[in-house]
Amino acid sequence: MKANGEHFENGAHLIPVNVLTVKVNESSKIKGTSNPIVISTQGQTLISSAGRGSKLNIDLDYSIPEARSASTDILGKAAGKFTQMITYTVSALYF
């Protein structure tokens, strides 16, 4: 997964994408090795070594960790919708 830009955007108002962390929710039907990922413009693997199946779903949790400086990155920004394209790529490997 990766963000297509460095910021969530609302006109001239910007919030860095790295305020948001994504992790695989325990309710996902896809099981494998996963770790929380801080969103960035660099491609990162969200889950690896997943089992096989055609009707598996992945549930994701999005959060802003307390460690982030909300006062400088988020609070005080203009009200409204901030957007950014996040690309998820799924690859299947067969041996």
Side-chain angles (χ1 to χ4, degrees):
M1 68 172 281
K2 72 175 191 167
N4 289 355
E6 295 182 359
H7 297 93
F8 294 104
E9 302 174 2
N10 178 356
H13 304 282
L14 306 173
I15 296 174
V17 294
N18 68 358
V19 300
L20 194 62
T21 297
V22 179
K23 72 174 190 168
V24 176
N25 185 290
E26 295 165 358
S27 66
S28 293
K29 300 290 186 215
I30 294 177
K31 302 298 181 194
T33 304
S34 67
N35 292 302
I37 291 181
V38 175
I39 293 180
S40 77
T41 57
Q42 301 299 312
Q44 300 178 76
T45 301
L46 184 60
I47 189 167
S48 61
S49 302
R52 297 179 184 178
S54 61
K55 294 187 177 185
L56 301 176
N57 68 306
I58 185 167
D59 297 322
L60 302 176
D61 291 332
Y62 296 84
S63 64
I64 300 172
E66 290 181 34
R68 290 297 309 169
S69 176
S71 61
T72 58
D73 290 335
I74 300 170
L75 298 177
K77 300 294 183 185
K81 181 191 256 184
F82 285 76
T83 60
Q84 181 52 255
M85 179 74 67
I86 307 294
T87 302
Y88 295 87
T89 303
V90 177
S91 300
L93 300 174
Y94 294 97
F95 298 95

